[in-house]
């Protein structure tokens, strides 16, 4: 157990930081690629803006996790909501009615989940200094 405390935890933290850096770099590259795509197309569409917003949320999530060491569950939910909205906007004309309904209901479920999580954080916060808070 002492060996893990000495080397294991530090090694895992180092891997965590490397992966966070890779995610940030990949996201920045994707933003650049999307920028090039927009310039080449000569027009900015709503789907492009939503994709850029998804990238921005990923960067914000990485920054938040790097600063605090905690990943709020709400951030990936926001990304999922925007991704579903983008999917709906791009493919709505080609979708069958039941699929549009399913994606819309999924979006509402995610939004409701965000509300419930936020309410729970406000009304029933974790006691400070518990094991899972570290």
């Amino acid at each position: 157990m002492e060996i893990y405390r000495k080397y294991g935890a530090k090694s895992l933290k180092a891997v965590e930081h490397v992966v966070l850096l890779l995610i940030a770099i990949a996201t920045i590259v994707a933003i650049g690629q999307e920028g090039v795509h927009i310039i080449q197309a000569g027009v900015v569409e709503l789907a492009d803006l939503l994709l850029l917003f998804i990238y921005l949320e990923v960067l914000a999530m990485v920054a938040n996790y790097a600063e605090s060491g905690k990943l709020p569950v709400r951030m990936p939910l926001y990304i999922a909501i925007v991704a579903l909205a983008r999917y709906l906007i791009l493919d709505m004309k080609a979708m069958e009615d039941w699929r549009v309904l399913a994606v819309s209901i999924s979006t509402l479920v995610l939004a409701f989940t965000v509300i419930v999580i936020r309410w729970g954080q406000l009304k029933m916060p974790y006691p400070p200094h518990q094991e899972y808070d570290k």
Side-chain angles (χ1 to χ4, degrees):
M1 193 61 153
E2 189 62 36
I3 292 174
Y4 171 75
R5 287 186 186 167
K6 188 171 184 181
Y7 299 110
K10 290 180 183 178
S11 298
L12 289 176
K13 262 306 191 202
V15 169
E16 180 181 316
H17 288 293
V18 168
V19 172
L20 279 174
L21 185 62
L22 285 173
I23 292 170
I25 291 170
T27 305
I28 291 168
V29 168
I31 290 169
Q33 290 172 340
E34 184 63 20
V36 168
H37 167 75
I38 290 171
I39 291 169
Q40 287 175 344
V43 63
V44 179
E45 296 180 1
L46 181 58
D48 299 324
L49 294 175
L50 290 173
L51 187 57
L52 287 171
F53 184 72
I54 290 171
Y55 293 147
L56 181 65
E57 283 294 318
V58 170
L59 280 178
M61 187 169 56
V62 168
N64 188 346
Y65 187 71
E67 287 177 13
S68 70
K70 297 177 184 177
L71 181 62
V73 175
R74 290 179 293 141
M75 292 187 89
L77 292 175
Y78 295 146
I79 293 170
I81 290 169
V82 174
L84 284 172
R86 184 178 185 276
Y87 173 64
L88 201 59
I89 289 167
L90 289 178
D91 296 336
M92 186 184 299
K93 292 180 183 176
M95 284 185 189
E96 297 175 13
D97 292 343
W98 69 268
R99 185 169 293 230
V100 172
L101 183 64
V103 172
S104 301
I105 290 171
S106 299
T107 305
L108 286 173
V109 167
L110 288 172
F112 181 72
T113 302
V114 169
I115 292 169
V116 168
I117 289 171
R118 187 66 183 133
W119 179 84
Q121 289 174 334
L122 291 174
K123 298 295 183 185
M124 298 176 284
Y126 288 128
H129 305 297
Q130 287 200 355
E131 185 64 29
Y132 46 77
D133 259 356
K134 294 179 182 178

